[in-house]
Amino acid sequence: MIVLKSFLLNVQFFTTFPIRKELSMGKEEWKWMVRTFPILGFSIGVLLSSGYLLLAAYTPMSTLALSFYIWVMPILISGGLHLDGYMDASDAYFSYRDQNRRLDIMKDPRVGAFGVLSVLVLLSSRFLFIYETLQNSDSAVISMVLVSIPILSRLVMGACLVLIPPAQNSGMGYSFSKHISMKEIPWLVLLPLLVGVSSILLHDFVMYSLFFMVTIGCFWFIYLKTIKWFGGMTGDTVGASVEGVEWILWMTIWLLQLFDMV
């Protein structure tokens, strides 16, 4: 029951799906929320993949229109929550100030020029990756990508909360970090590993394994740079990590196709 309750709390926190019931939160709920991050990612991935397959099979939608669906749906599902963190973190980083000043900038509700420019580059390039991937891939590959990317990005989100010390004693990131420990890591990696095993049956093991290794590399980069640039993890840097990992994974499949490696 605690697993379902924590999953529903994740849906309330991190998506726009309406969960009207007020759910209480204690130490165990915080733990299981982190543990079920990949399940949330899997649910989002299945929703995206199912929608794509139905639209591709039963509507006359063009590749451009299908690309727009894949591009815009994650934004609508999250309500732009992670993009907001990405913009705030971009504003702070490109200010080239010291760590304390960067943290102050991330607290500012206003978006600066660097945040706007960064999100435009992120979203426009991601649309390019999606569009050209759809042009050069069959439905099975696209489905695998659509399911894998949200799982792996939420794995990184959980790993950031567990492994990167908080930069300040306030905010959502700190609220999570107070209640979790290294014991959450095995739960975080369980579903991604099970998906990896399933990919063997679907003949996508090599691509999924590459995605997994790229994800590990992304987390290592995020770990080092978050501490160096901001002094630790914040809610904004965690949100930025989700967007950054998804961008890197879309670029990975795009580059593989560009050089005829898949």
Side-chain angles (χ1 to χ4, degrees):
M1 190 65 184
I2 186 73
V3 177
L4 177 59
K5 180 181 178 182
S6 299
F7 174 76
L8 292 176
L9 281 166
N10 277 334
V11 173
Q12 279 188 330
F13 267 71
F14 299 109
T15 77
T16 55
F17 293 114
I19 304 294
R20 304 299 184 190
K21 185 177 180 180
E22 185 174 344
L23 302 170
S24 61
M25 291 183 65
K27 185 177 181 180
E28 290 302 308
E29 282 79 10
W30 285 105
K31 288 182 178 180
W32 280 100
M33 283 179 70
V34 172
R35 294 173 181 180
T36 55
F37 280 171
I39 299 177
L40 176 66
F42 177 76
S43 303
I44 293 171
V46 169
L47 179 64
L48 289 173
S49 178
S50 301
Y52 162 74
L53 291 173
L54 289 171
L55 292 172
Y58 298 108
T59 72
M61 288 178 67
S62 65
T63 302
L64 182 64
L66 291 171
S67 300
F68 180 78
Y69 161 80
I70 294 172
W71 177 81
V72 77
M73 280 302 293
I75 302 173
L76 297 179
I77 290 172
S78 69
L81 178 65
H82 305 307
L83 283 174
D84 179 68
Y86 180 84
M87 287 188 288
D88 288 342
S90 296
D91 270 334
Y93 170 71
F94 286 111
S95 70
Y96 299 110
R97 304 291 184 87
D98 59 45
Q99 290 180 355
N100 289 332
R101 180 56 182 145
R102 283 173 170 171
L103 293 175
D104 289 338
I105 290 172
M106 281 194 286
K107 293 177 183 178
D108 192 333
R110 296 169 296 181
V111 179
F114 289 119
V116 173
L117 290 173
S118 296
V119 79
L120 286 175
V121 171
L122 177 87
L123 292 177
S124 59
S125 56
R126 186 159 68 193
F127 185 84
L128 168 68
F129 301 151
I130 293 170
Y131 177 69
E132 295 205 346
T133 298
L134 261 63
Q135 281 190 315
N136 299 301
S137 302
D138 58 31
S139 296
V141 172
I142 298 301
S143 296
M144 188 281 291
V145 171
L146 289 176
V147 173
S148 300
I149 288 180
I151 293 174
L152 295 174
S153 63
R154 270 62 183 187
L155 167 62
V156 170
M157 182 168 75
C160 287
L161 290 168
V162 173
L163 297 173
I164 303 177
Q168 50 195 356
N169 297 328
S170 61
M172 183 178 291
Y174 176 70
S175 298
F176 272 101
S177 69
K178 288 191 301 181
H179 301 96
I180 58 180
S181 68
M182 290 292 292
K183 293 179 180 179
E184 275 53 81
I185 294 297
W187 293 96
L188 277 171
V189 300
L190 178 60
L191 180 60
L193 290 178
L194 290 175
V195 173
V197 172
S198 301
S199 69
I200 298 174
L201 304 176
L202 300 173
H203 307 291
D204 287 323
F205 180 71
V206 173
M207 185 176 294
Y208 184 81
S209 297
L210 178 60
F211 268 24
F212 195 83
M213 289 187 291
V214 169
T215 301
I216 293 173
C218 286
F219 172 73
W220 183 243
F221 176 85
I222 291 166
Y223 177 86
L224 294 175
K225 298 305 180 182
T226 299
I227 293 175
K228 178 181 178 181
W229 294 337
F230 306 107
M233 169 272 301
T234 71
D236 285 327
T237 63
V238 172
S241 72
V242 174
E243 295 295 337
V245 169
E246 295 194 354
W247 184 85
I248 290 291
L249 292 177
W250 275 112
M251 184 175 68
T252 299
I253 184 66
W254 176 72
L255 288 172
L256 289 173
Q257 293 177 336
L258 186 65
F259 293 103
D260 294 323
M261 297 175 68
V262 292

